């Protein structure tokens, strides 16, 4: 029986996870995507920012606290985008503030982006090589 190469199966690209981000496609045909870092305990910047926000908000569950928590994900995970247009159809230049506004305006999209960032398969070296 042949041994399984555990690195080929589970190794992730730490650069994509923690710096440059993986492509979350909005539309592959149009080459429209959002670049997102991985939501993982190895993302020390995210963990630190979450701890600071948790300290500030405590147990608050009001709408403002919820928006601050979502904004933190956008701030810490979204690093760019390509070929994205706004509601008027005009191209949107990526800035952290624009990303925050767009993703907070589109909570279903934000949910999909966050779900993508929790899936290690999107950051596996073997899958990145295929793209």
């Amino acid at each position: 029986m042949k041994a399984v190469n555990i690195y080929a199966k589970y190794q992730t690209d730490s650069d994509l996870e923690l710096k440059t981000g993986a492509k979350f496609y909005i539309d592959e045909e149009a080459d429209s995507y959002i670049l997102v870092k991985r939501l993982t305990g190895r993302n020390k910047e995210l963990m630190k920012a979450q701890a600071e926000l948790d300290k500030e908000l405590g147990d608050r569950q009001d709408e403002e606290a919820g928006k601050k928590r979502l904004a933190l994900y956008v701030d810490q995970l979204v690093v760019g985008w390509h070929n994205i247009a706004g509601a008027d159809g005009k191209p949107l230049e990526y800035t952290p503030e624009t990303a925050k506004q767009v993703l907070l305006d589109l909570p279903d999209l934000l949910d999909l982006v966050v779900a993508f960032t929790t899936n290690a398969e999107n950051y596996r070296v073997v899958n990145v090589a295929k793209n």
Side-chain angles (χ1 to χ4, degrees):
M1 188 180 290
K2 184 179 176 183
V4 174
N5 180 338
I6 201 158
Y7 287 90
K9 193 165 178 83
Y10 291 103
Q11 186 177 22
T12 56
D13 184 321
S14 62
D15 193 50
L16 291 180
E17 287 183 314
L18 305 173
K19 295 177 186 165
T20 61
K23 293 177 182 178
F24 169 82
Y25 277 97
I26 303 296
D27 186 319
E28 286 190 56
E29 207 171 286
D31 198 32
S32 295
Y33 56 83
I34 300 172
L35 291 168
V36 288
K37 296 189 280 187
R38 186 166 172 211
L39 198 162
T40 176
R42 291 187 303 280
N43 187 333
K44 300 301 181 203
E45 290 177 14
L46 172 62
M47 296 297 109
K48 181 180 177 187
Q50 268 186 319
E52 289 171 1
L53 187 61
D54 287 345
K55 187 184 277 189
E56 174 191 329
L57 298 176
D59 292 335
R60 283 182 45 200
Q61 297 297 320
D62 58 88
E63 187 176 340
E64 180 188 353
K67 283 187 178 183
K68 284 186 175 191
R69 287 185 177 95
L70 292 174
L72 176 122
Y73 283 134
V74 177
D75 286 340
Q76 293 297 317
L77 299 175
V78 177
V79 294
W81 61 38
H82 177 73
N83 208 22
I84 302 291
D88 60 3
K90 294 180 182 173
L92 281 178
E93 182 179 338
Y94 170 80
T95 67
E97 282 305 313
T98 303
K100 196 179 320 182
Q101 178 185 348
V102 168
L103 290 169
L104 291 177
D105 284 349
L106 302 170
D108 291 335
L109 176 57
L110 180 55
D111 288 347
L112 292 171
V113 169
V114 172
F116 177 91
T117 69
T118 64
N119 186 344
E121 292 300 315
N122 297 318
Y123 301 88
R124 296 252 188 262
V125 170
V126 67
N127 291 335
V128 172
K130 290 178 187 174
N131 294 331

